[in-house]
Amino acid sequence: MISIIILITGIGNAWSAGKIDLAAPFRASLYTRQELMFIQAGLMMKRIYTKNLDGLWGPSSAEALARYVKEDLEEDTPPTNADAMLVVVSAILEFRKEGWEYRQLPGIDRNILTPKPVEKEDKTDNVLEVYSIDQMTLIRFWHSKAALKEVHFKRMPELNPFAWTRNGRNWVTIGISDEKAAFAYSIKGKGIWESVTVTGDIDDAGKVLLIFESLLKRFRLEVAPSERFVALADDFLEEYEKERVSEGETPNGSQQASVSPQDGDQSKPEKPQQSGSGTGFAVTSDGHLLTNAHVVDGCERISVDDLDAKLLATEENFDLALLQVPDLDLKGVAVFADTPASLNSDITTAGFPLAGLLGGLNITRGTVAARKGLGGSGINMQITAPLQPGNSGGPAVNSSGQVVGVVVAKLNAGAIADAIGDIPQNVNFAIRGTIAQLFLHQNGITPQRAGPGAPLRPEDLASQLSAYTFLVKCN
């Protein structure tokens, strides 16, 4: 029987001792209250769960998990334990990436859970501190009792407050609009009131809610992964790295997903490529480009249109990298779809395959063959658009020209043929657009997004893609 090294293997290893069947329907009774609270927190960060963060698994929690499976994973099946664990791993990765932890901030009489704050200098007379928290802003200031209504209403216009606490010592208000999310927390001091406001864009609404819930702290439990959740995430990353290593690198910087012909057979890491090429595409008008991490791994110099590119960030777990070329001549910027690509929907990819042999931008078309990658990985999706070495890092767009994925890998047909005696055709993969957007947000970039649009002619799609897709060289 063929053994495929997949992400879910790590989950199975981590949970085998607990005798939890990951393929079985989700059962809240298998988890502690703190673990259920962390699952709620993960769903809250995805803006799916908006109720009390209490670890009590009721209809609202069950509905949120089912919505996650249907909307994010695009599965029409009841939630399984594995689905819940994907929420857990995603939350742990985000906690680690953004430095989430409980901390005591000035002016707040209790520890609150936040990403790592960075103090800013833009203060006024009554403003005591200003912090940048990921893409959110925290401001602490003092004022009179008469200003309470201004703080909790006029400072948060059109936010439709939906939760509040008001008494002689504390005022707490939170609200969300179509564009923003914010909360205000006020505490009575000696002769004055001190307030803290946290504001963010609608994409950060889940994080604003999570900070708010930790501030209220209705229960003694803290929002933190249990030891077995942490072990789960560590094993998950370890197995993902094994899968990435087994995929290998081509001379032009393209990954090839491989399948191990025997159980336990693992490829050894290859030395990172020192030269080659791949593809990248512009995501801001300031010259920010998205590509694959393996395209720029080990490069002494990265160039785009003969201009030096600065490597700003990489995320090996997702195989994504962020570049910037300030003087790049841009004729367009990629727009991401606000919903995932549907099964069997049309896909168009753009890239520079076999840069030394083929000339210019190459456009290929196909469909979404599967909404998950190898072994059910929720990070990738399978596409049928033909790919060649050098396509890695290019955009995959829907029929409206909106980005729904980032090309990442081509199944190693030779390895599969050796294992099963048959040659697979057009088994290729792209990183899901939602994962790419998360990576951009984590690195200070707010991608342009749009709702469903009218289909474009193939010629118009090609023209649009050529405006923001570039050859990325590694030397």
Side-chain angles (χ1 to χ4, degrees):
M1 183 175 182
I2 300 172
S3 172
I4 303 177
I5 302 178
I6 55 177
L7 301 182
I8 207 70
T9 304
I11 296 179
N13 291 342
W15 284 70
S16 59
K19 297 182 179 179
I20 293 180
D21 182 1
L22 291 169
F26 175 81
R27 287 175 53 199
S29 60
L30 299 175
Y31 307 90
T32 67
R33 184 172 178 179
Q34 184 172 16
E35 288 175 339
L36 291 173
M37 182 186 289
F38 193 77
I39 296 173
Q40 289 175 334
L43 293 168
M44 183 172 286
M45 295 179 79
K46 296 177 181 296
R47 295 186 293 157
I48 295 176
Y49 180 72
T50 59
K51 303 298 183 180
N52 291 346
L53 202 61
D54 53 16
L56 299 176
W57 199 265
S60 296
S61 301
E63 181 182 349
L65 183 58
R67 182 181 161 197
Y68 164 73
V69 172
K70 183 176 181 179
E71 295 182 3
D72 283 39
L73 302 184
E74 294 186 312
E75 297 290 345
D76 295 322
T77 56
T80 64
N81 291 313
D83 295 328
M85 292 309 97
L86 287 175
V87 174
V88 168
V89 171
S90 176
I92 291 177
L93 292 179
E94 198 150 2
F95 267 44
R96 293 176 179 177
K97 179 75 175 179
E98 299 175 359
W100 283 79
E101 63 180 49
Y102 281 88
R103 44 178 54 91
Q104 180 79 51
L105 295 179
I108 301 180
D109 60 346
R110 65 196 71 181
N111 288 336
I112 64 171
L113 180 66
T114 71
K116 183 178 180 180
V118 177
E119 188 168 6
K120 302 171 70 175
E121 297 298 327
D122 46 347
K123 305 174 184 177
T124 58
D125 291 340
N126 69 324
V127 175
L128 303 175
E129 280 94 19
V130 179
Y131 292 95
S132 174
I133 307 179
D134 191 33
Q135 302 302 306
M136 299 167 285
T137 300
L138 182 150
I139 303 176
R140 174 187 167 228
F141 53 97
W142 60 267
H143 55 85
S144 65
K145 181 179 179 180
L148 275 173
K149 290 186 178 180
E150 177 183 356
V151 171
H152 287 261
F153 295 102
K154 293 182 180 180
R155 281 179 176 263
M156 298 197 299
E158 301 178 1
L159 284 182
N160 305 319
F162 67 86
W164 57 84
T165 299
R166 292 164 194 152
N167 54 47
R169 188 173 182 272
N170 292 102
W171 277 39
V172 182
T173 305
I174 185 167
I176 296 178
S177 72
D178 291 337
E179 298 180 353
K180 293 184 178 181
F183 76 78
Y185 173 82
S186 302
I187 183 170
K188 183 180 180 181
K190 295 181 179 180
I192 62 170
W193 283 70
E194 288 190 7
S195 290
V196 172
T197 62
V198 174
T199 59
D201 292 335
I202 188 61
D203 289 337
D204 292 316
K207 297 176 184 179
V208 172
L209 279 171
L210 184 54
I211 297 173
F212 175 74
E213 282 289 326
S214 74
L215 181 63
L216 294 186
K217 200 174 183 180
R218 297 184 177 93
F219 306 95
R220 293 183 179 181
L221 295 175
E222 290 190 345
V223 180
S226 64
E227 289 186 4
R228 64 173 180 170
F229 276 7
V230 171
L232 165 71
D234 289 341
D235 280 6
F236 187 96
L237 293 177
E238 180 181 349
E239 293 299 331
Y240 185 85
E241 182 61 24
K242 289 178 182 178
E243 180 187 358
R244 244 180 39 88
V245 167
S246 72
E247 290 172 357
E249 300 277 339
T250 72
N252 286 317
S254 170
Q255 275 192 327
Q256 291 189 331
S258 64
V259 176
S260 174
Q262 295 181 352
D263 288 345
D265 183 26
Q266 300 174 8
S267 302
K268 295 182 179 180
E270 295 183 7
K271 183 179 179 180
Q273 296 292 326
Q274 299 300 316
S275 65
S277 66
T279 303
F281 60 98
V283 292
T284 74
S285 58
D286 294 325
H288 292 95
L289 270 67
L290 188 63
T291 187
N292 288 148
H294 74 263
V295 168
V296 296
D297 185 28
C299 304
E300 293 186 5
R301 177 177 181 261
I302 305 169
S303 62
V304 177
D305 273 2
D306 294 325
L307 298 172
D308 286 342
K310 182 179 181 181
L311 179 59
L312 300 182
T314 60
E315 176 54 72
E316 293 186 358
N317 297 318
F318 297 151
D319 197 3
L320 291 171
L322 181 64
L323 309 176
Q324 186 174 23
V325 189
D327 297 327
L328 190 61
D329 183 18
L330 290 174
K331 296 180 175 61
V333 172
V335 176
F336 285 79
D338 62 3
T339 56
S342 300
L343 187 65
N344 203 37
S345 60
D346 291 336
I347 287 288
T348 301
T349 69
F352 294 86
L354 304 171
L357 300 175
L358 302 179
L361 184 68
N362 189 273
I363 305 292
T364 60
R365 301 171 64 190
T367 62
V368 177
R371 290 174 291 192
K372 294 185 179 181
L374 280 175
S377 165
I379 294 175
N380 300 332
M381 61 181 179
Q382 183 184 335
I383 61 177
T384 63
L387 302 177
Q388 299 295 337
N391 272 113
S392 289
V397 302
N398 60 20
S399 60
S400 301
Q402 300 160 350
V403 177
V404 292
V406 181
V407 174
V408 67
K410 175 181 180 180
L411 197 67
N412 190 326
I416 298 294
D418 290 341
I420 65 175
D422 194 11
I423 299 178
Q425 301 293 326
N426 287 342
V427 182
N428 307 314
F429 300 95
I431 301 164
R432 295 167 66 97
T434 50
I435 297 294
Q437 290 182 61
L438 171 63
F439 170 74
L440 292 173
H441 278 296
Q442 290 174 337
N443 290 285
I445 302 297
T446 301
Q448 294 188 27
R449 300 174 61 188
L456 299 178
R457 295 187 310 151
E459 298 89 343
D460 294 334
L461 274 177
S463 177
Q464 188 179 91
L465 286 164
S466 65
Y468 59 73
T469 307
F470 296 87
L471 175 65
V472 178
K473 293 183 178 180
C474 167
N475 300 112

